[in-house]
Amino acid sequence: MNQILRSLSVYVESLKTPIIRNRLLFTLLVLVIFRLIAHIPVPGVNLTLLRSFFDQNQFLSLLDIFSGGTLANFSIAALGLNPYINASILFQLLGLVVPQLEELSKEGEYGRAKINQYTRIATIPIAIIQSFGMYGILRSQNIISELSLFTLIALVLSMVAGTMVMVFLGELINLFGVGNGISMIIFAGIISRLPLGIIQTFSISDFSNPQTAFNLIIFVAIALALVVGIVLVEEAVIRIPVHYAKRAQTTYLPIKVNTAGVMPIIFAVSLATAPSLLGQFLSRLPQAGLAQAGLTISRLFSPDSYFYMTFYFLMVVGFTFFYTTVVFKPKDIAEELRKSGGFIPGIRPGIATEKRIKYLLYRVITIGALFLGVIAVSPSVVQKMTNITALTIGGTSVLIAVSVIIELTRKIENVVQTYNYDKLSY
C-alpha cells in the first residue's frame, strides 16, 4: 500500500513540474494519434470476418497485442511494430557473430544510434515480406478479396509506411516524451483492449451457474496474484558489495532479478507464432503431403497444447539468458571496477571478479528466466483451469503493462528529483 501511495504521489508531483507535465502531455498526444491511426482500416477488408478469425486464432491475437491493436482492425498500420521487433532480434543475434557490429555496440551513444539506424532500414524489407504473408493468410480466409497487382503493391506500401509511422511515433516519445516509445505504444494497445475484454467476459458468462461464478473468482484472484508477483520480481535486486579502498567507502552493484525485462517474451512471441502461421499456410495447399504436414504443425503449436506450452516456455527461458548476456557483460563491469579502484570483498580484481559476477548473474538469471516462462504460459494454464477465454490479455500483457508503469514511474521520479535539486541550487 505504501508503494502505491508513493507512486501516486510521484505522478501528482510530476503534474506540478513543468518539464514532466509537458512531456506527459506530448506522450499522451502521440498515443492519441496512434489510436486514431489504429482505427483507419484498409479498404476491401471484411472487418466482421476478420475479427471472428482473430477470436479463433490466439496466435494472431498475440501478434495483435504487439502491433498495438492495429492488426485486428487491419488498419493502415496493421503490422504495427512487429517488423521492427523482428529486425531488433536480427541485429541482437548478428551482434554475437559479426565483429564489426560487436565493436559498434561498444562505441556508446554513437554506436547505439548507428545500430538503431540499421535496424530501421532492415525493418522495411521485413515489413514487405510480412505484408505479403498477411495478405495471403487473409485472402485464403476470404477476408480480403483478390487484388490486382497495382492494388496489391499499394496495399503493401501502405502497410510498410504504417509500420515506419509507428516506429517514428516511438522515436518521438523517446526524444520528447516520457518512457520507452516502443513499449508505450504496445502498452497503449494492451490497455485499449482491456475494457472490451471485461465487457465480453461478463456478457457471455452465466452467473446463474455457481461453477461459472467460482471460475471467475479464481480468474480474478490469479490475475491479482500475478500482478503482485510481477511487481515483487520487478523490484527485486541482488546487491553485490563493492569496496573502494582509496575512498574508504562501500557501495553496491545491483543486479535485477528480471534483468531482461519483457524483451525475451517479445522475442519469443515473434518466433513462436511463426510455426503456426506456416502450418496454416501449408494446410491450404493442394498437395496432400504438405497439407497434412501443415495440419500436424498447427495441431502441435496450438496454444492449448502442452507441446506449444513447453516450446514457448523454453523459448522465453532461452531468450532471457541470451538477452541478459548481451546487455549485461561481467567482463566489462569487472574491468571498470578495476580501473576505478573498486573490488568485491574477498575477491581479487580482474578475472576472479569477473567469474564472481558471472556466477551471481547466472543464478539471478535462472530465477528471472523461470519467472518469465511461467508468466508466458500462464494464460493457457488459467484458461484450461477456468474455461474463461474472453479475457485474452494474459500474463504476457500484464507483465508488459506493469513493467511499463514501473519504468515510467521511475523515470518520472528521477526527473522530478533532478528538477527539485536544480531549484534548490539557485
Side-chain angles (χ1 to χ4, degrees):
M1 180 59 70
N2 291 335
Q3 182 69 23
I4 295 176
L5 293 176
R6 177 171 163 270
S7 299
L8 290 176
S9 66
V10 168
Y11 283 95
V12 172
E13 186 67 24
S14 68
L15 296 178
K16 303 176 184 178
T17 308
I19 184 173
I20 287 293
R21 184 171 63 245
N22 294 336
R23 284 181 170 268
L24 285 173
L25 291 175
F26 182 84
T27 302
L28 182 61
L29 176 62
V30 172
L31 294 181
V32 169
I33 294 173
F34 156 68
R35 292 311 302 166
L36 291 175
I37 294 175
H39 287 84
I40 304 176
V42 173
V45 178
N46 189 325
L47 292 180
T48 303
L49 287 177
L50 178 65
R51 293 190 179 107
S52 176
F53 182 52
F54 268 74
D55 290 339
Q56 299 170 7
N57 193 309
Q58 294 187 35
F59 287 103
L60 293 180
S61 296
L62 279 173
L63 287 178
D64 184 47
I65 289 174
F66 293 108
S67 71
T70 60
L71 192 55
N73 297 323
F74 209 71
S75 71
I76 58 176
L79 296 178
L81 297 165
N82 292 309
Y84 181 79
I85 292 172
N86 292 334
S88 299
I89 297 173
L90 176 64
F91 276 94
Q92 293 279 3
L93 294 174
L94 289 177
L96 298 178
V97 296
V98 179
Q100 291 84 352
L101 286 177
E102 185 178 3
E103 290 297 323
L104 197 60
S105 65
K106 297 179 181 179
E107 294 185 13
E109 189 65 30
Y110 170 78
R112 287 192 295 269
K114 292 296 292 185
I115 292 177
N116 196 23
Q117 182 182 0
Y118 296 151
T119 303
R120 289 195 294 266
I121 294 173
T123 299
I124 297 176
I126 293 175
I128 293 174
I129 295 172
Q130 291 188 2
S131 299
F132 278 108
M134 188 57 60
Y135 167 74
I137 292 174
L138 299 184
R139 176 70 187 88
S140 66
Q141 298 291 324
N142 296 320
I143 294 174
I144 188 171
S145 58
E146 187 171 355
L147 303 177
S148 64
L149 178 61
F150 179 79
T151 307
L152 178 58
I153 292 175
L155 173 67
V156 170
L157 289 179
S158 67
M159 294 174 70
V160 173
T163 293
M164 300 313 295
V165 168
M166 293 294 101
V167 175
F168 175 69
L169 293 178
E171 294 289 345
L172 284 180
I173 293 176
N174 290 337
L175 292 173
F176 306 109
V178 181
N180 180 280
I182 302 301
S183 299
M184 291 298 294
I185 289 177
I186 295 175
F187 171 76
I190 292 170
I191 296 300
S192 66
R193 297 162 61 95
L194 184 59
L196 181 60
I198 294 175
I199 293 173
Q200 287 179 347
T201 299
F202 280 91
S203 63
I204 66 175
S205 298
D206 181 15
F207 291 102
S208 61
N209 184 351
Q211 185 62 40
T212 301
F214 179 71
N215 287 342
L216 188 59
I217 293 173
I218 292 178
F219 186 92
V220 173
I222 292 176
L224 292 176
L226 197 63
V227 172
V228 173
I230 290 172
V231 172
L232 291 176
V233 173
E234 283 293 308
E235 294 291 313
V237 296
I238 178 175
R239 299 195 302 173
I240 305 175
V242 177
H243 184 71
Y244 293 90
K246 293 182 179 180
R247 306 178 207 171
Q249 66 176 11
T250 300
T251 60
Y252 295 93
L253 173 66
I255 302 178
K256 290 186 60 178
V257 172
N258 183 20
T259 306
V262 299
M263 295 308 296
I265 291 183
I266 294 176
F267 289 172
V269 166
S270 299
L271 296 182
T273 54
S276 178
L277 296 176
L278 176 64
Q280 292 178 17
F281 174 75
L282 293 176
S283 64
R284 295 180 179 87
L285 295 178
Q287 292 82 2
L290 292 176
Q292 184 60 40
L295 290 174
T296 302
I297 293 174
S298 297
R299 184 176 66 255
L300 286 175
F301 286 91
S302 173
D304 58 353
S305 71
Y306 290 107
F307 180 87
Y308 166 76
M309 292 183 195
T310 304
F311 175 77
Y312 189 21
F313 180 86
L314 293 177
M315 287 280 289
V316 172
V317 171
F319 270 118
T320 301
F321 277 90
F322 164 73
Y323 190 80
T324 303
T325 53
V326 168
V327 300
F328 197 102
K329 299 183 182 299
K331 182 178 180 180
D332 295 343
I333 294 175
E335 184 64 18
E336 288 296 325
L337 288 177
R338 186 186 65 81
K339 290 180 179 178
S340 61
F343 63 93
I344 300 175
I347 307 295
R348 292 175 60 86
I351 296 178
T353 298
E354 177 189 346
K355 290 182 178 179
R356 180 61 178 174
I357 295 175
K358 188 179 296 184
Y359 168 75
L360 295 174
L361 177 64
Y362 282 136
R363 294 185 70 181
V364 171
I365 291 177
T366 301
I367 299 173
L370 294 176
F371 163 74
L372 288 177
V374 170
I375 292 296
V377 300
S378 62
S380 299
V381 175
V382 172
Q383 288 177 10
K384 274 183 171 294
M385 292 174 56
T386 64
N387 294 321
I388 296 176
T389 59
L391 274 174
T392 56
I393 297 297
T396 301
S397 300
V398 173
L399 176 63
I400 294 174
V402 173
S403 300
V404 170
I405 292 174
I406 291 175
E407 180 184 3
L408 184 64
T409 303
R410 285 175 181 160
K411 288 188 176 181
I412 291 176
E413 186 176 17
N414 290 337
V415 176
V416 169
Q417 289 177 352
T418 303
Y419 178 79
N420 290 335
Y421 289 151
D422 291 340
K423 282 201 309 182
L424 290 174
S425 63
Y426 287 103

